[in-house]
C-alpha cells in the first residue's frame, strides 16, 4: 500500500474513532501528511485524502482557537493554505484540480481574514491586509480559473 492510501486509512480511522484517539493523533497526522498527496496526477484516493487534510486543519484551528492558542490556530490555516496554493501552482496539475484548489483558497483566505480581524492586537489587522494583498497577487496570475465551475468532487 502506498503512502497516500496508508495516510487516508489512518485519518479515516481517526475520524471513525472520534476524539477518543485524541487531538494529538489528528495533529500528528496533519503535520506528517505525505507530500505525495499533493503530487499530480491526483487520484480519487488523493482527492479524498486532501478533503480530510483540509477538514483536519480546520478542526485543529478551531480547537486551538477555542483554547486561546491563537498562534497555533493560525498556523493550521496557513499550513492548509500553503499546501493548496502549492497544489494549484503545480505545472502538471489537472485543470479541474487547479480550479477546485483555487476556489478552496478563496474560502480559506476569507476564514484567515476573519480570524485575524477577531484578534485584539493591531498586528493581526496588518496581517489581514497583507493576506489580501498576497492572495490577490497570487490569484491574478491564475487567469480567473477560480471563477469557473469545477466538475471534480473533493467531498
Amino acid at each position: 500500500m502506498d503512502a497516500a492510501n496508508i495516510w487516508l486509512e489512518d485519518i479515516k480511522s481517526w475520524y471513525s474513532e472520534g476524539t477518543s484517539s485524541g487531538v494529538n493523533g489528528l495533529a500528528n497526522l496533519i503535520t506528517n501528511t505525505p507530500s505525495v498527496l499533493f503530487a499530480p496526477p491526483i487520484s480519487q484516493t488523493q482527492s479524498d485524502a486532501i478533503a480530510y487534510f483540509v477538514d483536519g486543519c480546520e478542526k485543529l484551528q478551531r480547537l486551538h482557537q477555542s483554547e486561546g492558542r491563537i498562534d497555533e490556530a493560525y498556523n493550521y490555516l496557513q499550513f492548509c493554505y500553503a499546501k493548496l496554493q502549492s497544489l494549484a501552482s503545480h505545472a502538471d496539475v489537472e485543470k479541474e484540480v487547479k480550479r477546485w484548489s483555487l476556489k478552496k483558497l478563496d474560502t480559506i483566505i476569507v476564514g484567515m481574514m476573519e480570524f485575524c480581524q477577531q484578534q485584539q492586537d493591531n498586528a493581526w489587522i496588518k496581517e489581514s491586509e497583507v493576506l489580501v494583498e498576497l492572495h490577490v497577487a497570487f490569484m491574478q496570475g491564475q487567469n480567473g480559473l477560480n471563477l469557473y465551475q469545477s466538475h471534480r468532487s473533493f467531498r
Side-chain angles (χ1 to χ4, degrees):
M1 193 181 291
D2 67 5
N5 282 309
I6 292 168
W7 189 89
L8 179 59
E9 290 306 313
D10 288 347
I11 200 156
K12 280 182 176 180
S13 292
W14 186 90
Y15 272 83
S16 68
E17 295 169 13
T19 56
S20 64
S21 62
V23 145
N24 290 336
L26 179 60
N28 188 44
L29 283 165
I30 294 300
T31 302
N32 295 301
T33 301
S35 58
V36 70
L37 291 185
F38 301 95
I42 302 297
S43 67
Q44 187 58 50
T45 297
Q46 288 168 280
S47 294
D48 292 347
I50 291 168
Y52 276 104
F53 170 81
V54 170
D55 188 68
C57 287
E58 291 170 350
K59 281 185 184 313
L60 289 167
Q61 175 267 314
R62 287 189 303 270
L63 173 76
H64 287 302
Q65 187 173 4
S66 73
E67 294 175 348
R69 296 180 351 206
I70 302 305
D71 289 336
E72 290 103 24
Y74 189 64
N75 286 344
Y76 282 106
L77 291 174
Q78 287 181 313
F79 186 51
C80 186
Y81 187 91
K83 287 291 194 177
L84 292 180
Q85 187 179 50
S86 176
L87 177 61
S89 300
H90 199 290
D92 296 330
V93 75
E94 302 88 339
K95 234 179 194 178
E96 293 298 317
V97 173
K98 182 176 185 113
R99 284 187 189 123
W100 179 87
S101 298
L102 293 173
K103 285 179 173 265
K104 196 63 180 169
L105 287 172
D106 283 340
T107 303
I108 294 169
I109 199 69
V110 169
M112 291 173 77
M113 289 171 20
E114 289 173 349
F115 178 91
C116 290
Q117 292 170 358
Q118 291 171 0
Q119 308 315 311
Q120 303 302 313
D121 190 330
N122 285 336
W124 287 102
I125 300 302
K126 179 64 177 164
E127 177 73 11
S128 177
E129 293 167 0
V130 170
L131 283 173
V132 171
E133 291 171 16
L134 293 174
H135 183 71
V136 167
F138 174 74
M139 288 304 208
Q140 284 175 336
Q142 306 308 312
N143 300 319
L145 280 176
N146 60 324
L147 304 176
Y148 299 102
Q149 181 64 35
S150 174
H151 300 292
R152 182 131 186 200
S153 171
F154 280 72
R155 298 177 127 224

